[in-house]
Amino acid sequence: MGIVAGLDSSPDFTRIVVCDADTGAVLRQGYAPHPVETAGGGGRSADVDPQAWLLSLGEAAGGGLLEGVQAIGVSAQQSALIPIDDQGATVRPALVGGDRRAQVAAADLIDALGGREAWAQAVGCVPQAPLPVTKLRWFAKNEPEAARRTALLLQAHDWLVWQLLGRPLRRTTDRGGASGTGYWSAATGAYRPDLVELALGRQAALPDVIGPAEAAGTTPEGLLISAGTGETMAAAFGLGLSLGDAVVSLGASGSVMAVHPEALVDQTGMITSLADATGMHLPVVTTLNAVRALRGTAELLGVPDLEGLSALATKSTPGSHGLVLLPYLEGERTPSLPHTAGMLAGLRRESMKPEHVARAAFEGMLCGLADALDVLRGRGVEVRRVFLLGPAAELPAVQAVAPAVFGAQVVVPQPADYAAIGAARQAAWALGASKGTLDPRTPPAWQGAVAQILEPGEDLAVGQAVRQQYVSVREQVHPGAFLG
């Protein structure tokens, strides 16, 4: 079927992969950092001119990288809000990232609709600072004149697709991207214009949500552009996730998501109900503490890096001689304990050794993520395989503990540009569907990620004992934390 390209516009760079449309084999790659000069102070709260994304895209595509490509898919950072005026110009720089400025706006929105449960029922998520609907509220309150000139609301991948197509009258998005806005419901497949009005104070146009295999359009040169999607959905598609698969991402904080056939409405707000890039759903549970618990322990023990902490932990044994670390160092979201602190329990003279503290950090982090997995399992989500992502997934101590604690096969994919690969796979699907060579209901079967497979095996019983030790301490200190 030829060759296709996927471009991923992350917060810091653009990466492009060119793939064989039939097999997914990566043929060529390009990369360029964004020439980002923020207007809003950088860090987690930043205002970025979207033109920076186009400049790095052009640089990444240099040297004839896209020669012969028949279709392009676009993945981009999520949570960006780009207000557009009635002439098609940006009203202000894009609001991106976590944006702490919007924290008060999140609380305002929750109260205005009648609480967390009302939001969960409405759109499957509860406002937090990163959500576009929350940024929209902040924008309307703090820059009212600019807000009044806003005619259209786009996200990063919507805007890039629109630019690639030459800014046509029709603006489009996909289910995945729309589900992360806070004003589109994955359960109903429809926008909630009333929530846009609640945030902005009036209505604004929104892009059409098109199907997973639909094309957003064709460039004047005849290049097909697929729907595009958010980075999370693109990475899941690039990894080849299907029913029974979950992903645990190990960043400073952690996230757990899984493929599920239906949207989950969670009245506690622990589950964010996203749509994926295939027509299925991606319920997500996040924890505030993951690798930050390891880094804090390394500093406490005077170990220079996580590799050293891992080597130290492997000198201990399962259960860490009775030590249990509740890794709630920044408070916690899962369970909802925003004002709590972490705890090291089970201290005895024989357990007060660096290797036991080190192992307790790994076990505590992974047990906390197992709690998040159980939130999904408790709602009927099937988990047969757990894909473990992030640099910390390569640590021997993580790999030794994770399969038995998670109670599932663990897959550690080789590092690759999975979001860009997922965008390319979407392009191949749209191309095949447009030619009648692919079923619009069934994505192309590409090669799976090259990965290391870890089985719980005979360690399963030991891992479950470690987990029970952790749960006993958590319940003693925070009884009923997962009940409401």
Side-chain angles (χ1 to χ4, degrees), residues 63-274:
L65 183 77
L66 299 179
E67 189 175 334
V69 164
Q70 295 172 271
I72 292 178
V74 177
S75 157
Q77 60 178 299
Q78 289 159 240
S79 302
L81 177 70
I82 308 165
I84 306 291
D85 66 19
D86 56 10
Q87 301 299 309
T90 52
V91 171
R92 68 172 325 281
L95 288 148
V96 302
D99 212 330
R100 293 189 180 99
R101 295 174 297 186
Q103 287 175 340
V104 171
D108 287 347
L109 284 174
I110 291 169
D111 290 342
L113 195 64
R116 299 171 65 87
E117 183 177 340
W119 278 96
Q121 293 282 357
V123 287
C125 58
V126 178
Q128 301 168 54
L131 276 189
V133 72
T134 308
K135 293 186 171 88
L136 190 59
R137 176 77 161 200
W138 178 91
F139 172 46
K141 293 290 185 184
N142 290 275
E143 300 174 5
E145 184 179 344
R148 280 193 291 273
R149 290 190 286 115
T150 298
L152 167 70
L153 302 173
L154 296 178
Q155 293 187 86
H157 79 82
D158 309 340
W159 187 85
L160 284 165
V161 165
W162 187 47
Q163 300 297 317
L164 290 173
L165 290 172
R167 295 156 51 101
L169 287 176
R170 187 191 189 203
R171 283 75 55 128
T172 62
T173 189
D174 87 308
R175 299 168 65 254
S179 68
T181 59
Y183 41 80
W184 186 89
S185 168
T188 64
Y191 281 116
R192 288 288 302 264
D194 57 314
L195 299 183
V196 173
E197 188 164 349
L198 183 68
L200 184 60
R202 58 183 185 78
Q203 290 299 325
L206 301 168
D208 294 342
V209 180
I210 62 176
E214 282 188 68
T218 305
T219 68
E221 299 78 26
L223 192 63
L224 183 143
I225 309 295
S226 64
T229 195
E231 276 188 319
T232 297
M233 300 79 190
F237 199 38
L239 283 165
L241 300 188
S242 58
L243 286 174
D245 290 337
V247 173
V248 172
S249 295
L250 300 176
S253 54
S255 71
V256 175
M257 68 179 179
V259 181
H260 198 56
E262 59 190 31
L264 296 179
V265 175
D266 175 44
Q267 298 175 358
T268 69
M270 281 192 290
I271 299 174
T272 297
S273 191
L274 299 178

Side-chain angles (χ1 to χ4, degrees), residues 22-44:
D22 294 314
T23 66
V26 176
L27 308 174
R28 304 191 289 269
Q29 300 183 62
Y31 167 87
H34 297 321
V36 175
E37 293 181 4
T38 61
R44 293 176 62 190

